[in-house]
Amino acid sequence: MSARVSPSNDATVLVFGPYNGDGVTELERRFTVRKLRERDLAELPEGERASIRAVAVAGHIPNAAIDALPNLEVIGHFGVGYDGVDAAHAASRGVAVTNTPDVLTDEVADTTLGLLLMTVRELGQAEAYARAGRWQAEGPYPLTRFSLRGKTVGIMGLGRIGLAIAKRLEAFGLAIAYHNRSRRSDVSYAYHDTLEGLAKAVDILVVAAPGGASTDKAVNAGILRALGPDGIFINIGRGSTVDEPALIDALRDGTIARAGLDVFADEPRIPADLLALPNVVVLPHVASASRDTRRAMGNLVADNLSAWFAGEPLPTPVPESEAAGLSRAKVS
Ligand code: DGY
C-alpha cells in the first residue's frame, strides 16, 4: 500500500494549513503533496504556485488564495460543511469543490445524542462530582432539573445528519418536529415553516443546519425567547448560525434554561462569558472527531482528487460545482 495509486495522478496537491494526519498520509500515497503549516499562501514561494492543481483544506480558504493559484482545478474540502470555501467563487474560476458527506453522518448524530444527554442530565457535572469524592463525602448527586422523558425535540436542518439524529431520537421515544427550507415528503415529523414556530413548539431545539449566509445568526434573541425559560438549545451545526452574544444573554438571564454546544462563532476561541455560565456544556467541535471517521473523510477527499485527475465523475461535488458543470474534469 505504499506505491502511488496511478501515474495519471501525477499532480501536486497543496494541503492548505492544519489537516488530519491520516488524511495527509493518504494524499501523500497518491499524489505529490506540498503542505502549508498555516492557512497562508505566503508560505508558498511564488515560483511554486503554478505547480498546484489541487488543494486539500479543512476549514477556510480565502478567495485570494484560490485566485493566486493559476492552475488550480479542484478543492477537496475535508468536512461536510464547506462554509469555509466560497464554492460559487471557485466555480466562477472553473475550480470544482468537493466535500465529505455521508461518511460522518452517524458519528455526528451519535455525538449529538451524547451532547444532548450531557446537557439535559448533567452527566459531565455528575462525573466531576464522583471523581472529586463528593458522592461519599456529601451524598448522592442532586436530582436533575430536566429529563428527556416526554419531551419534544425540534431539529433545524433535516438533512442527512438531521435525519440520523431524528432516527436516534425516535428510538429514545421522543416526539420530533423540524424546520427546513421546505417540507420533506419522506418523513411524518411535524413541519414548521418558520424557525420561530418550531422554537415555540418544542422543548429542545437542535441545530443541524449548514453554516453560511443562508443561516447566519438565524438563532437570534427572538428565537431564544420563543424557545422559552425551560428550553434547551443544542448546536452541532455551525457557530455562525447563532447570535452568540444573544445566546449568552439568554442563558444568563433565564430566557432559556441550557445549551449544549459543539461549535462556536470564532473557533477555537470560546467566549469567556460563555465558559463562565454553569448552564452550558461545551465541546471542542468533536462531532465527527473519531480516528475512523476522520480517516474515512480523508479518504473521501483523496478519492475525489483521484477521480478528478482520472477524468472520472467526482464522488461528492458540492451543488455549486455541479450546477456549474464541474462535476468532472474536462478532458481535452
Ligand atoms: C463537518 O464536516 O462539517 C464537521 O463540522 C467537521 O467535524
Side-chain angles (χ1 to χ4, degrees), residues 100-121:
T100 60
D102 300 320
V103 292
L104 47 58
T105 299
D106 286 321
E107 197 76 78
V108 174
D110 291 348
T111 311
T112 307
L113 270 288
L115 178 58
L116 177 59
L117 279 169
M118 286 179 74
T119 308
V120 172
R121 296 298 323 287

Side-chain angles (χ1 to χ4, degrees), residues 79-81 104 238 285 288 294 297:
V80 65
L104 47 58
R238 281 291 180 266
H285 200 150
S288 68
R294 289 285 168 92
M297 292 161 66

Side-chain angles (χ1 to χ4, degrees), residues 115 118-120 122 125 259-262 264 278-283:
L115 178 58
M118 286 179 74
T119 308
V120 172
E122 304 172 19
Q125 294 94 319
L261 310 170
D262 185 48
F264 303 88
N279 50 347
V280 59
V281 173
V282 294
L283 295 179

